[in-house]
Structure formats: structure tokens, C-alpha cells
Short mmCIF file of all heavy atoms in Angstrom, two decimals:
data_model
loop_
_atom_site.label_atom_id
_atom_site.label_comp_id
_atom_site.label_asym_id
_atom_site.label_seq_id
_atom_site.Cartn_x
_atom_site.Cartn_y
_atom_site.Cartn_z
N LYS A 1 0.86 -1.20 -0.06
CA LYS A 1 0.00 -0.04 0.03
C LYS A 1 0.90 1.20 0.05
O LYS A 1 1.87 1.25 0.61
CB LYS A 1 -0.93 0.01 1.23
CG LYS A 1 -2.03 -1.06 1.22
CD LYS A 1 -2.83 -0.97 2.51
CE LYS A 1 -3.53 0.36 2.66
NZ LYS A 1 -4.41 0.28 3.83
N VAL A 2 0.52 2.21 -0.75
CA VAL A 2 1.15 3.50 -0.79
C VAL A 2 0.04 4.62 -0.76
O VAL A 2 -1.19 4.28 -0.83
CB VAL A 2 2.01 3.63 -2.17
CG1 VAL A 2 3.12 2.72 -2.11
CG2 VAL A 2 1.13 3.59 -3.37
N ARG A 3 0.43 5.87 -0.61
CA ARG A 3 -0.58 6.88 -0.51
C ARG A 3 -1.55 6.84 -1.66
O ARG A 3 -1.11 6.99 -2.80
CB ARG A 3 0.13 8.24 -0.31
CG ARG A 3 -0.85 9.41 -0.06
CD ARG A 3 0.01 10.70 0.10
NE ARG A 3 -0.87 11.82 0.37
CZ ARG A 3 -1.36 12.10 1.50
NH1 ARG A 3 -1.04 11.42 2.61
NH2 ARG A 3 -2.18 13.18 1.61
N GLY A 4 -2.72 6.74 -1.40
CA GLY A 4 -3.77 6.74 -2.41
C GLY A 4 -3.98 5.50 -3.32
O GLY A 4 -4.95 5.42 -4.08
N GLY A 5 -3.28 4.48 -2.96
CA GLY A 5 -3.37 3.25 -3.80
C GLY A 5 -2.51 2.12 -3.32
O GLY A 5 -2.11 2.00 -2.20
N ALA A 6 -2.10 1.35 -4.34
CA ALA A 6 -1.20 0.35 -4.11
C ALA A 6 -0.33 0.05 -5.38
O ALA A 6 -0.69 0.36 -6.48
CB ALA A 6 -1.97 -1.03 -3.81
N THR A 7 0.81 -0.65 -5.10
CA THR A 7 1.86 -0.84 -6.20
C THR A 7 2.38 -2.19 -6.07
O THR A 7 2.51 -2.76 -4.93
CB THR A 7 2.92 0.30 -6.24
OG1 THR A 7 3.84 -0.03 -7.34
CG2 THR A 7 3.70 0.24 -5.01
N ALA A 8 2.71 -2.78 -7.15
CA ALA A 8 3.48 -4.03 -7.10
C ALA A 8 5.13 -3.84 -7.21
O ALA A 8 5.82 -4.82 -7.31
CB ALA A 8 3.06 -4.94 -8.27
N GLN A 9 5.42 -2.59 -7.31
CA GLN A 9 6.91 -2.23 -7.55
C GLN A 9 7.63 -2.51 -6.25
O GLN A 9 7.20 -2.01 -5.26
CB GLN A 9 7.12 -0.87 -8.00
CG GLN A 9 6.50 -0.50 -9.37
CD GLN A 9 7.14 -1.37 -10.44
OE1 GLN A 9 8.36 -1.66 -10.38
NE2 GLN A 9 6.50 -1.84 -11.53
N PRO A 10 8.87 -3.23 -6.17
CA PRO A 10 9.50 -3.39 -5.03
C PRO A 10 10.11 -2.10 -4.41
O PRO A 10 10.06 -0.96 -5.05
CB PRO A 10 10.71 -4.09 -5.47
CG PRO A 10 10.30 -4.71 -6.87
CD PRO A 10 9.48 -3.78 -7.48
N SER A 11 10.26 -2.13 -3.11
CA SER A 11 10.79 -1.00 -2.34
C SER A 11 11.81 -1.53 -1.49
O SER A 11 12.20 -2.82 -1.45
CB SER A 11 9.68 -0.32 -1.54
OG SER A 11 9.25 -1.10 -0.41
N THR A 12 12.33 -0.79 -0.48
CA THR A 12 13.44 -1.17 0.45
C THR A 12 12.66 -2.23 1.39
O THR A 12 13.49 -3.11 1.85
CB THR A 12 13.92 -0.01 1.28
OG1 THR A 12 12.91 0.57 1.97
CG2 THR A 12 14.60 0.86 0.39
N ALA A 13 11.45 -2.25 1.66
CA ALA A 13 10.91 -3.18 2.58
C ALA A 13 10.05 -4.15 1.78
O ALA A 13 9.60 -5.24 2.44
CB ALA A 13 10.04 -2.41 3.59
N PHE A 14 9.63 -3.96 0.58
CA PHE A 14 8.73 -4.97 -0.16
C PHE A 14 9.52 -5.47 -1.39
O PHE A 14 9.90 -4.73 -2.20
CB PHE A 14 7.49 -4.30 -0.47
CG PHE A 14 6.48 -5.00 -1.52
CD1 PHE A 14 5.88 -6.27 -0.87
CD2 PHE A 14 6.35 -4.77 -2.74
CE1 PHE A 14 5.12 -6.93 -1.76
CE2 PHE A 14 5.44 -5.50 -3.58
CZ PHE A 14 4.86 -6.64 -2.97
N HIS A 15 9.71 -6.78 -1.53
CA HIS A 15 10.47 -7.36 -2.55
C HIS A 15 9.76 -7.53 -3.80
O HIS A 15 10.29 -7.83 -4.87
CB HIS A 15 11.21 -8.63 -2.18
CG HIS A 15 10.19 -9.73 -1.74
ND1 HIS A 15 9.15 -10.08 -2.47
CD2 HIS A 15 10.27 -10.46 -0.53
CE1 HIS A 15 8.48 -11.10 -1.70
NE2 HIS A 15 9.16 -11.37 -0.59
N GLY A 16 8.39 -7.32 -3.86
CA GLY A 16 7.64 -7.61 -5.02
C GLY A 16 7.21 -9.01 -5.16
O GLY A 16 7.78 -9.91 -4.61
N ASP A 17 6.31 -9.21 -6.14
CA ASP A 17 6.07 -10.69 -6.40
C ASP A 17 7.08 -11.29 -7.31
O ASP A 17 8.03 -10.71 -7.70
CB ASP A 17 4.63 -10.66 -7.01
CG ASP A 17 4.56 -10.38 -8.57
OD1 ASP A 17 5.56 -9.59 -8.96
OD2 ASP A 17 3.65 -10.73 -9.22
N VAL A 18 6.87 -12.63 -7.58
CA VAL A 18 7.95 -13.38 -8.26
C VAL A 18 8.26 -12.77 -9.61
O VAL A 18 9.44 -12.73 -9.95
CB VAL A 18 7.46 -14.74 -8.46
CG1 VAL A 18 8.43 -15.63 -9.29
CG2 VAL A 18 7.28 -15.65 -7.00
N ARG A 19 7.24 -12.34 -10.28
CA ARG A 19 7.54 -11.72 -11.74
C ARG A 19 8.41 -10.50 -11.62
O ARG A 19 9.46 -10.48 -12.34
CB ARG A 19 6.20 -11.45 -12.49
CG ARG A 19 6.38 -10.94 -13.85
CD ARG A 19 5.24 -10.87 -14.56
NE ARG A 19 4.32 -9.77 -14.13
CZ ARG A 19 3.15 -9.33 -14.71
NH1 ARG A 19 2.67 -10.09 -15.63
NH2 ARG A 19 2.44 -8.42 -14.17
N HIS A 20 8.14 -9.72 -10.78
CA HIS A 20 9.08 -8.54 -10.61
C HIS A 20 10.41 -8.90 -10.16
O HIS A 20 11.51 -8.24 -10.57
CB HIS A 20 8.39 -7.50 -9.61
CG HIS A 20 7.21 -6.72 -10.19
ND1 HIS A 20 5.94 -7.12 -10.16
CD2 HIS A 20 7.26 -5.51 -10.78
CE1 HIS A 20 5.18 -6.23 -10.76
NE2 HIS A 20 5.94 -5.17 -11.08
N ARG A 21 10.39 -9.77 -9.09
CA ARG A 21 11.75 -10.22 -8.61
C ARG A 21 12.56 -10.85 -9.75
O ARG A 21 13.92 -10.63 -9.80
CB ARG A 21 11.63 -11.22 -7.46
CG ARG A 21 11.02 -10.53 -6.16
CD ARG A 21 10.48 -11.58 -5.30
NE ARG A 21 11.31 -12.65 -5.02
CZ ARG A 21 10.96 -13.85 -4.57
NH1 ARG A 21 9.64 -14.20 -4.53
NH2 ARG A 21 11.80 -14.82 -4.38
N THR A 22 11.99 -11.58 -10.71
CA THR A 22 12.71 -12.24 -11.72
C THR A 22 13.27 -11.32 -12.72
O THR A 22 14.37 -11.55 -13.24
CB THR A 22 11.76 -13.28 -12.37
OG1 THR A 22 11.27 -14.22 -11.49
CG2 THR A 22 12.51 -13.95 -13.51
N GLN A 23 12.57 -10.23 -12.82
CA GLN A 23 12.99 -9.03 -13.81
C GLN A 23 13.91 -8.19 -13.33
O GLN A 23 14.47 -7.38 -14.03
CB GLN A 23 11.78 -8.49 -14.38
CG GLN A 23 10.81 -9.34 -15.06
CD GLN A 23 9.42 -8.63 -15.44
OE1 GLN A 23 9.17 -7.51 -14.94
NE2 GLN A 23 8.68 -9.24 -16.29
N ALA A 24 14.14 -8.27 -11.95
CA ALA A 24 15.13 -7.37 -11.38
C ALA A 24 16.61 -7.79 -11.25
O ALA A 24 16.85 -9.01 -11.03
CB ALA A 24 14.77 -6.96 -9.88
N MET A 25 17.58 -6.95 -11.49
CA MET A 25 18.92 -7.24 -11.39
C MET A 25 19.33 -8.58 -12.11
O MET A 25 20.09 -9.38 -11.70
CB MET A 25 19.36 -7.58 -9.75
CG MET A 25 19.15 -6.28 -9.02
SD MET A 25 20.36 -5.07 -9.30
CE MET A 25 19.25 -3.77 -9.61
N VAL A 26 18.93 -8.65 -13.32
CA VAL A 26 19.22 -9.82 -14.14
C VAL A 26 20.64 -10.12 -14.44
O VAL A 26 21.14 -11.18 -14.37
CB VAL A 26 18.32 -9.68 -15.59
CG1 VAL A 26 18.77 -10.87 -16.41
CG2 VAL A 26 16.97 -9.68 -15.20
N ALA A 27 21.36 -8.99 -14.85
CA ALA A 27 22.62 -9.13 -15.13
C ALA A 27 23.53 -9.48 -13.90
O ALA A 27 24.47 -10.37 -13.99
CB ALA A 27 23.31 -7.79 -15.69
N GLN A 28 23.21 -9.02 -12.81
CA GLN A 28 23.87 -9.29 -11.50
C GLN A 28 23.61 -10.79 -11.12
O GLN A 28 24.65 -11.44 -10.64
CB GLN A 28 23.51 -8.31 -10.43
CG GLN A 28 23.96 -6.90 -10.59
CD GLN A 28 23.20 -6.06 -11.54
OE1 GLN A 28 22.19 -6.55 -12.13
NE2 GLN A 28 23.48 -4.72 -11.59
N LYS A 29 22.41 -11.27 -11.21
CA LYS A 29 22.07 -12.56 -10.83
C LYS A 29 22.76 -13.53 -11.77
O LYS A 29 23.14 -14.65 -11.40
CB LYS A 29 20.56 -12.72 -10.89
CG LYS A 29 19.80 -12.01 -9.75
CD LYS A 29 18.28 -12.17 -10.01
CE LYS A 29 17.51 -11.33 -8.88
NZ LYS A 29 16.08 -11.32 -9.18
N SER A 30 22.95 -13.20 -12.99
CA SER A 30 23.69 -14.02 -13.89
C SER A 30 25.14 -14.15 -13.53
O SER A 30 25.71 -15.30 -13.53
CB SER A 30 23.48 -13.50 -15.32
OG SER A 30 24.32 -14.32 -16.33
N MET A 31 25.72 -13.04 -13.15
CA MET A 31 27.13 -13.15 -12.62
C MET A 31 27.13 -14.03 -11.35
O MET A 31 28.10 -14.81 -11.17
CB MET A 31 27.57 -11.76 -12.18
CG MET A 31 27.98 -10.84 -13.39
SD MET A 31 28.85 -9.42 -12.91
CE MET A 31 27.52 -8.42 -12.46
N LEU A 32 26.30 -13.86 -10.38
CA LEU A 32 26.24 -14.62 -9.17
C LEU A 32 26.12 -16.13 -9.60
O LEU A 32 26.79 -16.99 -8.99
CB LEU A 32 25.06 -14.33 -8.26
CG LEU A 32 25.10 -12.75 -7.74
CD1 LEU A 32 23.92 -12.59 -6.99
CD2 LEU A 32 26.27 -12.62 -6.93
N ALA A 33 25.23 -16.54 -10.52
CA ALA A 33 25.03 -17.87 -10.84
C ALA A 33 26.21 -18.53 -11.55
O ALA A 33 26.64 -19.66 -11.17
CB ALA A 33 23.86 -18.00 -11.95
N ARG A 34 26.86 -17.77 -12.37
CA ARG A 34 28.10 -18.30 -13.01
C ARG A 34 29.16 -18.60 -11.89
O ARG A 34 29.91 -19.55 -12.05
CB ARG A 34 28.62 -17.35 -14.05
CG ARG A 34 27.68 -17.35 -15.35
CD ARG A 34 28.48 -16.73 -16.46
NE ARG A 34 28.80 -15.35 -16.23
CZ ARG A 34 27.97 -14.26 -16.45
NH1 ARG A 34 26.83 -14.45 -16.91
NH2 ARG A 34 28.55 -13.04 -16.18
N ALA A 35 29.32 -17.65 -11.05
CA ALA A 35 30.28 -17.92 -9.99
C ALA A 35 29.84 -19.10 -9.04
O ALA A 35 30.78 -19.94 -8.63
CB ALA A 35 30.40 -16.63 -9.07
N ALA A 36 28.56 -19.18 -8.67
CA ALA A 36 28.08 -20.36 -7.88
C ALA A 36 28.30 -21.70 -8.63
O ALA A 36 28.59 -22.63 -7.83
CB ALA A 36 26.62 -20.10 -7.48
N LEU A 37 28.17 -21.70 -9.93
CA LEU A 37 28.31 -23.02 -10.68
C LEU A 37 29.63 -23.69 -10.40
O LEU A 37 29.76 -24.83 -10.47
CB LEU A 37 28.06 -22.75 -12.04
CG LEU A 37 28.02 -23.96 -12.93
CD1 LEU A 37 26.77 -24.89 -12.65
CD2 LEU A 37 27.99 -23.59 -14.49
N THR A 38 30.77 -22.80 -10.13
CA THR A 38 31.96 -23.36 -10.00
C THR A 38 32.03 -24.28 -8.75
O THR A 38 32.96 -25.03 -8.56
CB THR A 38 33.04 -22.27 -9.83
OG1 THR A 38 32.84 -21.49 -8.69
CG2 THR A 38 33.13 -21.54 -11.07
N PHE A 39 31.08 -24.20 -7.78
CA PHE A 39 31.13 -24.98 -6.58
C PHE A 39 30.30 -26.14 -6.68
O PHE A 39 30.06 -26.94 -5.73
CB PHE A 39 30.72 -24.02 -5.43
CG PHE A 39 31.65 -22.85 -5.10
CD1 PHE A 39 31.37 -21.67 -5.70
CD2 PHE A 39 32.65 -23.02 -4.40
CE1 PHE A 39 32.25 -20.64 -5.50
CE2 PHE A 39 33.55 -22.09 -4.03
CZ PHE A 39 33.33 -20.87 -4.72
N VAL A 40 29.65 -26.35 -7.93
CA VAL A 40 28.71 -27.55 -8.10
C VAL A 40 29.56 -28.65 -8.77
O VAL A 40 30.17 -28.46 -9.82
CB VAL A 40 27.61 -27.19 -8.88
CG1 VAL A 40 26.70 -28.44 -9.12
CG2 VAL A 40 26.80 -26.14 -8.23
#
């Protein structure tokens, strides 16, 4: 909830639903994934 309505956009306290989370920080998550794969 925000003033006057509601939003699905993430904030510092609300991470958003799965679709918004998946679309956020895509390049950074790809970097993390490639680094993590070396431990598998």
C-alpha cells in the first residue's frame, strides 16, 4: 500500500511478487549464478 493506492513495484521493505523479482537485477544474478556454478 502507498498513499492513495497500491503498487507491485519493489521497495526497500517490499520485494515484489515473483515476476518483478525475476525481472530485477538480471545481469547481476547471472554473474552470481556463474560464480556459484564453480562450486557444483
Side-chain angles (χ1 to χ4, degrees):
K1 289 177 67 178
V2 295
R3 185 177 180 84
T7 179
Q9 295 298 325
S11 70
T12 57
F14 174 68
H15 55 50
D17 75 336
V18 170
R19 185 170 70 177
H20 282 89
R21 289 160 54 203
T22 303
Q23 295 170 350
M25 297 290 124
V26 174
Q28 288 82 356
K29 289 173 182 175
S30 179
M31 282 190 283
L32 298 177
R34 290 195 299 273
L37 185 66
T38 63
F39 297 94
V40 179

